[in-house]
Amino acid sequence: MKKIVIGGQIEKGAIEELLQKYGKGNYEITVKTDIDAAMALKNGTADYYFGACNTGGGGALAMAIALLGGDKTATLGMPGKTASEEEISQSVAAGKIAFGFTSQDMEFIISNVMKALESKGE
């Protein structure tokens, strides 16, 4: 079973609920601090990271970017811009494993990331 960690700065409970809903019971989901979540990815005890903040990339992904590098992360929603379903799918296909977004975009983004992971066989 693949493991998802939730980091970031806001809406962790709501993110967990959405991941449970769209993950259909196929993932182990754990809420952590942003640094603990990023460390879990780095040391291989988690497969994916989701985080939200008010900008979509700052507090949502700062630790993941610092520990994993920008090539493993994707800001999928920020004020005034939300990634399209195609852009989300491309991020997953490109091997991104840490996803940041703003809270107003979270249901659209989480549902589409989970759909892309399912299509990928994850």
Side-chain angles (χ1 to χ4, degrees), residues 4-115:
I4 294 174
V5 289
I6 301 167
Q9 300 300 308
I10 60 174
E11 301 289 353
K12 291 180 182 184
I15 293 169
E16 182 178 23
E17 288 175 19
L18 290 169
L19 287 169
Q20 294 288 357
K21 175 181 175 181
Y22 292 106
K24 304 173 188 172
N26 296 320
Y27 299 87
E28 181 182 315
I29 300 165
T30 308
V31 176
K32 296 181 173 279
T33 65
D34 58 343
I35 192 164
D36 288 339
M39 285 299 297
L41 273 183
K42 185 168 178 68
N43 69 28
T45 59
D47 301 293
Y48 298 100
Y49 171 108
F50 288 76
C53 73
N54 291 322
T55 65
L61 284 175
M63 284 292 117
I65 292 169
L67 294 174
L68 304 169
D71 62 323
K72 294 291 185 190
T73 67
T75 299
L76 300 176
M78 61 185 72
K81 183 177 183 331
T82 303
S84 67
E85 186 175 339
E86 182 179 333
E87 290 169 321
I88 292 169
S89 181
Q90 289 171 348
S91 291
V92 171
K96 306 292 185 182
I97 58 173
F99 309 101
F101 42 87
T102 56
S103 61
Q104 68 263 22
D105 300 320
M106 68 183 164
E107 183 149 16
F108 175 79
I109 289 168
I110 290 170
S111 67
N112 281 289
V113 170
M114 299 309 284
K115 183 167 50 170

